[in-house]
Amino acid sequence: MGRRKRRVRTQVAIIGAGPAGLFLAHLLARAGVDAVVVERRDREYVEARVRAGVLEQVTVDLMDRLGLGKRMHREGLVHEGTILAHDGGMFRIDMKGLTGGSTVMVYGQQEVMRDLFDAGEERGVQVVFDAEDVALHGLDGSSPHITWRKDGVEQLLDCDFVAGCDGYHGVSRGSMPESVRREYERVYPFGWLGILADVPPANHELIYCNHERGFALASMRSATRSRYYLQCPLDDRLEDWSDDRFWDELCLRLGDRAAAGVTRGPSFEKSIAPLRSFVSEPMRWGRLFLAGDAAHIVPPTGAKGLNLAASDVVFLAEALEQHYLEHSDAGIDGYSARALARVWKAERFSWWFTGLTHRFPETGPLEHRLQVAELDYIRDSRAAQTTLAENYVGLPIS
Ligand code: FAD
Ligand code: PHB
């Protein structure tokens, strides 16, 4: 139990200092709305987590709008296309040409977090780190508050609204009564084994590869840092995967042409991530809003997770600005439906792209031939390529 109790007040309490929480804090600060971010871990931990690597135009625009884009435009890599590969064959999706000029930016989530934290310090974005036992109270009334403990001291924050930006394992979603929540979930029967290595990437654009032995992805963080993934069984252990075994398997799956570009080297990060499609509806209950992974998860195949977190909080910040500056609750009332409309389209795309490129337990020779037939169709159809490109670069904010 804590020794004393400290009580303060803000307008919006934000739980979680991941991309959703910090983007929201910056957007609110810019609009002159008071907010405090309460985070369970320390800054080093949050910043060091190796996760997403591809930013949609919407996220790039958000970084620019917040005046955070300088380093991203200097160090990030603009990608105008991406490669699909199977059975040794490869073809390119010209995203820029097919979408009337849209591209994506390769810039790691770690870099985004560093930019958000650095600028946050200068702009007075308040973040409480190392907050233990965060709890939400009074969400269905007119004066909610949140509590936590830090350094043995009980803390209480009164607020008008709570933004649950605390990821899939956070407390916010579970603070909505089960009777109002509807959850949709699919857990995929495999994981992604990812490595980072300081070697030049295999290709200047990403390669998504369907192989009979499983999916492979050649990605990057910079011209000198590669990020590779292999589909693997969920019960594989990292100890089973020496660097040599990883490089051999990667080259086998990529096929001779793409493998010719692979430079091997020691990995400095190796991890296995599970894959899941998940949506919890609604994204608002009373004075609680959910945003980002707290409300939905996508398998990483479409590179949508971080980008959805960004679009959610663009909608949420607009709604809160309307409430405080225009005294209208239309945005608040419409937030859940507006955010979910975009979320479900990204869920569909990520699910479809995962199905097209991965090996499932039920993938026999027939199913593999069907995947190959669909890949061949995409290769030969401008309409199919346009559909893929539009979704990959990110659907517009509407
Ligand atoms: P998070 O980044 O999860 O942030 C939530 C924050 O809340 C965290 O800082 C957490 O510490 C904090 N928190 C949690 N519980 C509490 C609590 N009780 N109290 C206070 N704070 C709390 N996406 C891609 O597009 N490509 C990828 O390659 C990719 N790889 C991924 C790999 C892994 C292992 C994971 C987990 C995710 C990956 N994602 C990827 C998804 C992407 O990283 C997420 O969609 C993105 O981080 C979502 O941001 P968020 O702010 O909603 O949630
Ligand atoms: C990454 O570089 O981490 C990455 C890129 C594309 C994806 C997923 C992850 O679809």
Side-chain angles (χ1 to χ4, degrees):
M1 281 300 285
R3 286 174 276 124
R4 289 159 281 157
K5 190 166 248 173
R6 219 180 131 242
R7 186 165 193 148
V8 282
R9 177 171 174 85
T10 191
Q11 290 176 307
V12 182
I14 300 173
I15 323 274
L22 274 202
F23 270 130
L24 180 63
H26 275 269
L27 284 163
L28 294 179
R30 208 186 50 139
V33 176
D34 281 343
V36 176
V37 185
V38 180
E39 163 64 48
R40 186 172 58 168
R41 316 300 293 243
D42 59 30
R43 174 175 166 170
E44 288 66 36
Y45 180 90
V46 176
E47 217 179 291
R49 284 186 294 211
V50 179
R51 289 182 170 184
V54 177
L55 308 186
E56 294 174 352
Q57 192 64 47
V58 163
T59 312
V60 170
D61 291 346
L62 177 58
M63 293 283 282
D64 284 336
R65 189 140 60 91
L66 291 169
L68 297 173
K70 212 166 154 200
R71 197 167 69 93
M72 173 185 71
H73 287 293
R74 202 174 57 236
E75 297 176 14
L77 306 170
V78 174
H79 281 200
E80 299 181 354
T82 193
I83 309 290
L84 298 191
H86 69 90
D87 296 329
M90 289 163 69
F91 61 94
R92 179 169 187 267
I93 306 289
D94 174 12
M95 295 178 309
K96 190 175 181 188
L98 291 160
T99 60
S102 295
T103 56
V104 295
M105 174 79 80
V106 170
Y107 192 64
Q109 182 164 332
Q110 288 168 290
E111 309 306 326
V112 173
M113 293 311 298
R114 202 178 115 196
D115 295 339
L116 284 164
F117 280 129
D118 284 352
E121 278 179 2
E122 287 159 24
R123 297 175 189 183
V125 168
Q126 287 185 68
V127 186
V128 177
F129 290 103
D130 300 308
E132 295 172 62
D133 293 332
V134 176
L136 290 61
H137 314 270
L139 299 166
D140 54 348
S142 56
S143 47
H145 65 276
I146 65 169
T147 53
W148 70 93
R149 193 174 57 254
K150 180 164 167 130
D151 302 327
V153 182
E154 297 293 328
Q155 314 266 345
L156 192 154
L157 179 64
D158 288 304
C159 54
D160 301 328
F161 298 103
V162 179
C165 301
D166 47 352
Y168 181 70
H169 299 287
V171 288
S172 298
R173 189 175 64 252
S175 304
M176 268 189 201
E178 261 179 50
S179 57
V180 301
R181 258 189 292 147
R182 172 126 197 230
E183 296 190 348
Y184 303 81
E185 181 170 48
R186 172 170 199 185
V187 179
Y188 294 82
F190 43 74
W192 274 21
L193 167 67
I195 67 158
L196 274 171
D198 276 330
V199 290
N203 184 50
H204 71 286
E205 292 176 340
L206 272 60
I207 305 175
Y208 289 87
C209 177
N210 175 316
H211 190 275
E212 274 188 312
R213 294 171 65 90
F215 171 79
L217 171 60
S219 182
M220 67 197 74
R221 289 291 176 273
S222 69
T224 54
R225 181 165 290 181
S226 298
R227 177 81 166 145
Y228 290 108
Y229 295 99
L230 291 176
Q231 175 186 351
C232 70
L234 270 173
D235 52 6
D236 267 16
R237 293 168 313 155
L238 289 176
E239 307 85 88
D240 300 333
W241 283 94
S242 65
D243 282 358
D244 281 341
R245 180 176 171 210
F246 187 96
W247 292 117
D248 288 345
E249 184 67 25
L250 178 75
C251 289
L252 191 67
R253 292 189 195 180
L254 287 179
D256 289 346
R257 241 176 93 197
V262 171
T263 307
R264 297 178 181 225
S267 69
F268 63 88
E269 203 271 343
K270 208 181 260 162
S271 55
I272 295 178
L275 272 70
R276 184 189 304 273
S277 294
F278 171 81
V279 181
S280 177
E281 295 182 333
M283 287 172 62
R284 176 210 172 186
W285 178 68
R287 298 213 161 224
L288 170 66
F289 301 94
L290 299 180
D293 279 14
H296 43 75
I297 298 286
V298 284
T301 324
K304 293 279 166 255
L306 165 63
N307 295 297
L308 278 183
S311 56
D312 282 355
V313 297
V314 166
F315 297 144
L316 182 51
E318 271 179 34
L320 292 167
E321 271 184 63
Q322 263 184 30
H323 171 84
Y324 285 110
L325 309 181
E326 296 164 26
H327 310 291
S328 159
D329 281 349
I332 282 178
D333 293 336
Y335 166 72
S336 180
R338 191 178 177 204
L340 282 167
R342 193 167 195 273
V343 164
W344 275 112
K345 290 183 198 117
E347 290 281 349
R348 185 209 67 81
F349 175 66
S350 307
W351 161 83
W352 168 79
F353 204 20
T354 304
L356 177 68
T357 50
H358 287 66
R359 193 179 166 81
F360 289 73
E362 65 273 20
T363 311
L366 177 116
E367 287 77 12
H368 182 65
R369 289 298 292 265
L370 291 173
Q371 287 180 330
V372 170
E374 187 164 4
L375 283 159
D376 284 347
Y377 169 65
I378 296 169
R379 182 194 59 209
D380 298 334
S381 161
R382 190 178 167 86
Q385 289 186 15
T386 306
T387 301
L388 199 161
E390 275 178 1
N391 282 278
Y392 193 85
V393 300
L395 296 174
I397 293 261
S398 56

